[in-house]
Structure formats: structure tokens, C-alpha cells
Amino acid sequence: MNPKPLTPPVAGSRLLMSGNEAVARAVWDAGARVAAAYPGTPSTEILETLAFYPDIYAEWSVNEKVSLEVAIGASLAGARGFCAMKHVGLNVASDALMTLTLTGVVGGLVIAVADDVGFSSSQNEQDSRYWGRFGHLPILEPSDSQEAYAMTLEAFALSETYNTPVIVRMTTRVNHVKCLVTVGERQQHRVADSFTKDPRRWVMVPGNAQHHVPKMLARDKALAAATLSSPFNRLEPGSDTHLGFITSGAAYMHVRDVFPNAPVLKLGFSHPIPIELVRQLSEKVEKLVVVEETEPLLETEIKAHGISVHGKDLLPANGELSPTVLRKNLAPLLGQTAATDPNIGQQPALEVFPRPPTMCAACPHMGVFYTLSQLRNVNIPGDIGCYTLGAGHPWKSLDTCISMGAAMGVALGMDKARGAEDENKRIVAVIGDSTFLHMGMQGLLDIAYNHGNVTVLLLDNRTVGMTGGQENPGTGRDIYGNPAPRVDFVKLVEALGIAPDRIHVVDPYQLPVLFKTLRQETKTEGPSVIITNKPCVLIDHYEALKPYEVDASLCTGCGNCVEVGCPAIHVTRREKVIKPSGKEVELAFVNIETTACTGCGLCLQPCAPKAIIHASTSKPATAGMVTAPGESQ
């Protein structure tokens, strides 16, 4: 199986592309030979798109650090290398990055980093422009897909000209919004035919590394001069000189929308900052405003040069700086208020029915969290993935979520810090298969090595679920869908130090077995691992079974099935009744949306009156006979 098309769109084509797709095309046109990434919203589609192009090697790496190291290897061998990741991924890759800033590159090396401005799908909202200052690296910031294409091409040229990795900083809006892009043709580009041995340059022991610092500082000065003449940094004149703006990325579009007649310094090559262009603009306007998402990096540097500027004193330091935000927050500079500004409040905000995120119908994680919700006296450190939703209603069975792989270390820390009052507290760490391979293995090794009294739930749903169903070393397929070695989690966990008799593989749809195994392992001293083994319901390899419905004549309103959390189960009416004991209870009568139901059978098992039956039949289903998805009946 190979999904690559034989003929990519020809040079000069105008294509409707997202920023992610445009970056992918530019990487290919730049003649890159190797591309690597770990999936992470909003960057995922870059590598997914690259995989469809010929004559380039693409891979899903086990984590972002490895993806950067693969790109580094390609660069050292004389080819152009590329890697992509979301903002938190660069934290993982930074160990390799901060040494690469000293060694420099051979073939061009470009890193596309997607900042999730607005917390669309991330645990934090960091500003990756800091890496430019921290690592002495050039930063390019596209405002739309066409610029994403052009700047990625330029990033490879900059990388080779100045002997440095280059970061293309994207944001969620640029990653996912589509516009027309004119593309070029693929270059056949290679700087060298093979790796040249030079230990003084590439072996970064202290004695060698210190000699590279002066070169890095000299590069800073050369890059600073380059920003003044870069076509991506431009002073746009305006007839209304009351306010002048310095901005970059998607915020530039919003500034132009709200203040079409204002002078603007549009920064595409935003680090090093072209301070002389800033000074030129400041001399032409009454007040200068920096509009940047999210941190006041430019503002701080401009003030350090003695230039008066407004920024985060008026604008928020988090979230997107949309036209509505700009109009409202900059109104005081125009002598206006929200009440007097004619552009504010013309369209009342739409009231949208709240729809909290939840798991898919028949998700194999639902049974896990339903079971965890039945346990008492337990702390449950969690991790990054679809299963993070276990913290929400109705399960409320996840207590922490810090970063990828953190469930392991947090669980061990809780174990070692427990006092007398927590002596009987049980600790269950929850982690998914791809997250375990990304950063969780080391944590489990630490638990085993340090005799942690922790039970680990390793949820193997055979995909990277949260980012759209990508492959990983646990799926048995590579990025192209071709067969690849598949990790044996039982053998891996045993190799990391877990005793064979403390490793269990459990069907997450068999709730009694899952509950019994969890209770047994949490009551037994020492580390243990329970592996669930059913696939995500959204991948091609999932096999749906016959759906269920509710026999209204049998339903007593006990509501047990609702606690499973399946979105295919709807409460149709509620009734309050008084029990013989005098206690008031609320009954919840339900139905099942059969078009959403995949027949997993989770809801059957807690149903007391046996009111759930196969759709279009009259015979009640038997929970004990339910076949889990992926198996034949």
C-alpha cells in the first residue's frame, strides 16, 4: 500500500490549501529528502500531506525529539531535512535543538512549530517565538497559506546561508484556514553527497562546544542585518497616522480588518527584530501599538530600545487577538468606549448550546472510566489523549493531566509522598499506547526500578486517537499503511521490569473482568500493568456490530446505562419519585440513537431491568454473550 499520487500539481497551479498543506508543498518544492514528525494538533496535517508526495522519506517518529534528530541526521548527510510539531512538542525536542544552534547545519533544516493560540486542543498556550531568542534562531511567521508556502521555501535558504536551523512559527488559525496558493516546482537540492567526519564540529563535548559560541553570536548580528532587507518585513503606509501597528502572523489580518488605513509594520521575519524599521514607523505615528499573540516579546524589546509603545497594557496576553478584541481593547486610544464605537456590539454574540467534549459511541475507553468511577479511595493520574476526557462527566475519574508521559512519574511521586492518612490510598495511572511509546516508557521503568506501588492502565486502542487516527509503532503499520513491526506491549512492559504475573491483558468491554482485575491489582503491593486491547472506533480496522435500542416497556429509569457515558444514549425524560424509605430519587428514562450505536454492549451490563435489546428485535440481549468490537459474533 502506498498512497502517494503519481503526479503532484504542476508548477504555477493555484491550489486551495490550508497553512499545513502549504508548508508540506513548500518542503517538497524545496527539495527536502527527509521529513519527520509526531502528530499533534494543529500541526498534524503537515506530515500527513507530505506523505503523499514522491521522492521524499516521511515518518511518524515516536516523539518530537526523535523527529528532530532524524531531520538533523539528514542535514548532516548533506540533504535538506524537515520536522513538524505542535508547541509543546518543541519542549520535548529542545535538548537536541539547543546543541544544534551551536553546531549549525549542512543541508537546510527547518522546524515548523504550531502554536495553539486559544487552547483549541492543548494543555497550555506557550509562545514559540521565545525559542528564537533562547536559541539564537531566526523565526519566520506566516499570516496565511501563501506566506506559509513562501516562508518555508525561504527558511531552507536562510538555514543554509546562515548555517542555522530555522523555525517557521504557525498558529492554529494559519494552520487550518485555507486560501489560494500558487506553487512552484520541486528543486533537486543537495548540499553534499555524504556526511563529512569532523569531530571538532559534531562531537559536542565541552572543549569542542565552547568554540562554537562566537560563531553563533556573529550569526546573530548577520541575521539582524538581514531582517532589515527581508521582503517578509514591510512598512505599509497609511493615511490615518493616529495609530501605527507592529504585528505578525494571523494578528496582522485582524489589524488590517479593523484598521485598514493605519500604517503597519508587518513582520514575517520576526526574530531578530528589525529595530530600525520599528523606529521609522514610530516617527510617523502619534501612538505605536504592538499586536502580538501571545506574549509581549516584541513589546519588551522595543521598550528596551527606548521606543514608547502600547501592547499588553491594553491587549490580552492569551487567546486570539480577533477584530472584536482589537476594537474593544484599543477603543480608549481612539477616545472611544465600547458604547460610542459604532463597530462594537452591532452583532450580539450567538448563544450556542454547550456541548462539552466526550468520547465517541463505543469508545473502548468508556468502560475503563466507568469501572474507575466505581472504585473508591483511589487517585488517578492521567495523561494526554482521548482518555483525558475521563476527567469529565459522567465519569469524573481522572485527577491529573500535566504532559505526555507524566502520568507515570506523577503516580510514583504520589506513591512515595503518601503519609499515614493515605496509607490505604490506591494509585492508578492511565496512559494510552502512543503516549506510552512517546514518553511513558521511561516513567514505567522508573516505577519498576523504584518499587512503586502503582497500577498502570495502558489503553491500547491501536492508533493515535486524539489527533485523527495516525499510526505508531504499536499499530503494525507505518505512515503509508504498509506493514511494520508492531510493539508487543506485554513483552515491552516485562522488559521494563514488571513481573509477568502482574501483567494482564483485558477486554475493556467486559466490565466485570476489568473491575475484578483492577480491584485485585490495586490491593496487591508493587507495580502492575493492565493492558486493554480493543481498537478505536474511528479507525478502518474497527468492526461495528448490530446496534441496540431501548424497550420502553421494560425501562425503569434506573439510569445505570447513562453512567457509562455513551453519547448514543439520550435521556428522554426525568421523573422524581419517593421510595418506600422516604428518600426522593430521580429516574432517567432513555433511548439509544441506533444510527450512532455500534453494538459494543457496554450499556447492557449495568442495565438492571434488561431493557436494552438488539434493534428491531424483541428478544432481550444477554450481556454475558456480548462480543466485543473487532470479534465475530
Side-chain angles (χ1 to χ4, degrees):
M1 176 182 174
N2 192 327
K4 295 181 179 179
L6 296 176
T7 53
V10 299
S13 299
R14 295 194 75 203
L15 309 171
L16 187 63
M17 287 181 156
S18 67
N20 283 340
E21 292 166 334
V23 168
R25 174 64 190 235
V27 172
W28 187 72
D29 282 356
R33 295 291 300 275
V34 172
Y38 181 83
T41 306
S43 69
T44 305
E45 296 83 8
I46 297 176
L47 203 76
E48 285 184 330
T49 303
L50 261 173
F52 281 82
Y53 285 100
D55 304 320
I56 185 171
Y57 169 78
E59 73 165 41
W60 287 128
S61 303
V62 294
N63 64 31
E64 295 85 358
K65 180 176 182 287
V66 173
S67 77
L68 177 55
E69 290 160 348
V70 170
I72 291 172
S75 171
L76 300 193
R80 286 182 163 179
F82 171 81
C83 66
M85 58 198 71
K86 67 185 295 180
H87 60 291
V88 289
L90 195 50
N91 301 335
V92 178
S94 62
D95 192 9
L97 176 67
M98 296 305 288
T99 299
L100 187 65
T101 64
L102 290 174
T103 66
V105 302
V106 179
L109 196 155
V110 175
I111 307 166
V113 180
D115 282 5
D116 189 14
V117 176
F119 292 92
S120 297
S121 58
S122 306
Q123 68 270 35
N124 62 42
E125 186 192 42
Q126 68 191 49
D127 193 327
S128 293
R129 294 178 301 161
Y130 274 115
W131 291 107
R133 288 136 181 90
F134 190 25
H136 302 266
L137 300 174
I139 304 286
L140 296 173
E141 289 190 77
S143 295
D144 59 21
S145 300
Q146 182 67 66
E147 284 194 346
Y149 174 82
M151 289 184 185
T152 302
L153 284 175
E154 178 64 16
F156 280 103
L158 280 170
S159 178
E160 291 168 357
T161 300
Y162 295 96
N163 188 32
T164 179
V166 178
I167 292 176
V168 178
R169 188 241 186 175
M170 314 274 282
T171 60
T172 302
R173 189 164 295 274
V174 178
N175 286 108
H176 290 159
V177 170
K178 294 195 175 191
C179 68
L180 288 173
V181 178
T182 302
V183 301
E185 61 183 350
R186 180 166 169 81
Q187 308 169 24
Q188 296 302 321
H189 187 93
R190 194 175 186 106
V191 175
D193 291 330
S194 62
F195 173 61
T196 301
K197 294 180 182 293
D198 184 358
R200 190 170 174 82
R201 180 178 181 187
W202 302 122
V203 181
M204 283 287 99
V205 294
N208 291 339
Q210 62 186 353
H211 296 295
H212 292 279
V213 175
K215 299 175 185 178
M216 181 182 69
L217 298 178
R219 183 181 71 208
D220 282 351
K221 293 181 180 179
L223 285 168
T227 61
L228 294 174
S229 58
S230 171
F232 297 121
N233 292 338
R234 61 179 186 265
L235 270 172
E236 298 179 352
S239 57
D240 184 355
T241 59
H242 185 64
L243 295 182
F245 293 91
I246 302 166
T247 187
S248 61
Y252 165 77
M253 297 296 189
H254 302 321
V255 168
R256 271 287 167 238
D257 185 16
V258 180
F259 302 98
N261 299 318
V264 173
L265 173 54
K266 198 274 188 195
L267 298 178
F269 191 167
S270 64
H271 180 262
I273 183 173
I275 197 65
E276 291 306 316
L277 294 181
V278 174
R279 205 178 302 278
Q280 290 177 36
L281 177 61
S282 69
E283 293 170 353
K284 296 177 181 178
V285 298
E286 296 177 31
K287 298 174 184 177
L288 195 59
V289 182
V290 177
V291 180
E292 53 186 330
E293 298 173 340
T294 52
E295 301 281 350
L297 273 74
L298 295 174
E299 178 186 348
T300 301
E301 289 195 33
I302 292 168
K303 288 179 176 178
H305 282 85
I307 301 172
S308 178
V309 65
H310 290 283
K312 298 306 178 186
D313 56 328
L314 296 170
L315 296 170
N318 66 286
E320 291 187 301
L321 300 181
S322 66
T324 301
V325 171
L326 293 180
R327 290 189 184 105
K328 176 182 178 182
N329 291 67
L330 297 182
L333 290 183
L334 301 172
Q336 300 171 336
T337 64
T340 61
D341 182 355
N343 293 311
I344 298 176
Q346 293 301 305
Q347 294 182 332
L350 295 175
E351 289 191 10
V352 180
F353 182 79
R355 293 190 297 171
T358 189
M359 296 177 196
C360 303
C363 174
H365 300 336
M366 283 195 302
V368 170
F369 285 104
Y370 173 78
T371 303
L372 287 172
S373 71
Q374 308 304 306
L375 297 179
R376 297 294 176 265
N377 199 30
V378 60
N379 289 336
I380 311 172
D383 227 291
I384 305 293
C386 294
Y387 45 87
T388 311
L389 297 169
H393 184 80
W395 314 283
K396 298 180 180 178
S397 296
L398 205 68
D399 298 320
T400 71
C401 176
I402 306 299
S403 62
M404 293 195 75
M408 306 285 102
V410 169
L412 182 60
M414 285 182 172
D415 172 44
K416 298 303 182 182
R418 69 173 85 208
E421 68 279 5
D422 294 325
E423 186 175 348
N424 297 318
K425 181 78 74 172
R426 292 167 285 177
I427 299 172
V428 178
V430 180
I431 193 168
D433 52 344
S434 60
T435 305
F436 180 75
L437 296 172
H438 175 281
M439 273 293 171
M441 292 187 289
Q442 299 92 326
L444 181 61
L445 178 62
D446 202 45
I447 289 172
Y449 177 65
N450 291 294
H451 307 286
N453 187 16
V454 174
T455 297
V456 174
L457 266 170
L458 173 47
L459 311 183
D460 178 13
N461 65 351
R462 301 174 193 173
T463 190
V464 188
M466 184 63 98
T467 53
Q470 291 77 32
E471 307 296 347
N472 68 62
T475 69
R477 291 173 296 277
D478 64 15
I479 191 172
Y480 304 113
N482 296 321
R486 181 180 175 187
V487 169
D488 185 325
F489 283 106
V490 172
K491 290 181 179 178
L492 176 58
V493 166
E494 184 177 350
L496 291 172
I498 305 301
D501 63 333
R502 302 299 304 277
I503 304 170
H504 305 271
V505 179
V506 177
D507 182 338
Y509 295 101
Q510 298 298 327
L511 299 183
V513 176
L514 180 60
F515 183 82
K516 180 180 178 181
T517 307
L518 260 172
R519 187 171 57 180
Q520 167 190 313
E521 288 304 318
T522 55
K523 287 184 176 180
T524 306
E525 290 290 320
S528 62
V529 175
I530 301 170
I531 304 168
T532 63
N533 64 350
K534 292 302 175 183
C536 168
V537 300
L538 298 182
I539 64 175
D540 294 338
H541 306 281
Y542 177 82
E543 298 177 12
L545 302 176
K546 191 172 182 180
Y548 292 98
E549 63 185 7
V550 176
D551 185 337
S553 66
L554 296 177
C555 181
T556 62
C558 70
N560 290 345
C561 60
V562 178
E563 298 304 312
V564 172
C566 180
I569 299 174
H570 299 175
V571 176
T572 57
R573 77 177 195 277
R574 297 183 183 273
E575 292 182 9
K576 290 184 178 180
V577 298
I578 306 296
K579 287 187 140 187
S581 63
K583 180 180 178 181
E584 183 181 76
V585 296
E586 184 176 72
L587 303 179
F589 296 89
V590 303
N591 68 11
I592 295 175
E593 179 57 60
T594 56
T595 57
C597 177
T598 64
C600 75
L602 277 175
C603 57
L604 268 67
Q605 298 170 69
C607 178
K610 307 297 181 186
I612 298 174
I613 59 177
H614 279 303
S616 303
T617 68
S618 57
K619 184 179 178 180
T622 304
M625 297 296 292
V626 172
T627 305
E631 300 177 356
S632 58
Q633 289 199 100

